[in-house]
Amino acid sequence: MSVRPRQDVGLRNADLLPEVTAASLRSLRVRRIHLAGLATETASGLLEQVGRLVVGVATPDLPAGTGWMAEEWAARGQSASDATLWTATLGDALVGCMFVSELELDGTRALFLQSAYVHPALQGRGVGFALNARMALRELLRHPFGSRWVVAALMSPVALAGWRSRLSPGAAYPGLGDTDLRPELTSVAAAAAAQLYPTVPFDPATGVLHGRTPPRSGRVTPSGDRFVDAHFEQHVDPAAGDAVLMVLDGRRSEVVRCLGRVPGALLRSISVRAGSERGAST
């Protein structure tokens, strides 16, 4: 699978993204798609579209169809074909995506957030929240009395701060010094790093996956959480390809603690239209 464009000259990866504005967000629609349930041609076309979004967001200023993400996308797309894809669309334009798969860590079911990307023109507008909230709410409806961990390798402090803000103190790894970290999370993080990134050097003290990606350039957008931003500034080097391994406590006790936040998250997430793709599991 390729994300290279036609023989266009002088274009950047960002130029291949659809033109959208925040004013059109009222028509945003979130879908859950089980890729394995789609016809091969349909799934391939969808992954091609997702690839253009991912490459455009991750490496916007590089020449069209080039860069580390374009080179990696074929392999990533293949692994993503076994995952559940959540998409955010405005009409026919794909403006957000998130891949989620399941595994087991330390004897407990885990959700692995493989990757999540939002169109640059809509970042900070609630699209990422809608994707994450819809995924989390569906998980709670399917397994209301179950326990799970949530795992992701993050390159953005905004994403880590967003998740931390919705959990109890100490329920998100890595610990950033502002609260006592639940010790189980460190054990799960080590297991996740060994299982998901066996060839990537991992620092359990900081949660940093050193060299998780090829070197990245560009300004890192601060989150506004001083503990998160300080952690990224001190320990995460984009030029070295570093990322932070995040582990969230989603066990029954934490779910009960956070029940009071569910109604607000539900109201905010349903402000966009829900939907599912034919072939998706329900």
Side-chain angles (χ1 to χ4, degrees), residues 67-78 212-214:
W68 65 269
M69 181 56 83
E71 294 172 359
E72 285 194 357
W73 179 245
R76 288 198 178 195
Q78 185 62 38
R212 164 67 187 90
T213 73

Side-chain angles (χ1 to χ4, degrees), residues 128-195:
F129 177 88
L131 290 167
N132 285 308
R134 200 66 59 77
M135 178 275 297
L137 290 169
R138 183 174 187 275
E139 166 66 16
L140 292 178
L141 289 173
R142 291 179 64 210
H143 304 282
F145 304 108
S147 288
R148 80 285 293 159
W149 309 109
V150 179
V151 180
L154 304 179
M155 294 174 280
S156 166
V158 175
L160 179 57
W163 279 109
R164 274 172 37 102
S165 69
R166 297 180 180 100
L167 296 174
S168 301
Y173 171 93
L176 305 184
D178 56 334
T179 187
D180 292 331
L181 179 69
R182 296 171 191 170
E184 303 94 327
L185 291 171
T186 300
S187 174
V188 175
Q195 183 171 333

Side-chain angles (χ1 to χ4, degrees), residues 18 29 31 47 55 107 110 129 145-146 151 180 205 251 259 273 281:
R29 184 170 186 178
R31 295 183 178 90
L47 286 174
V55 171
F129 177 88
F145 304 108
V151 180
D180 292 331
R251 291 173 295 178
L259 281 178
R273 297 169 58 195
S281 58

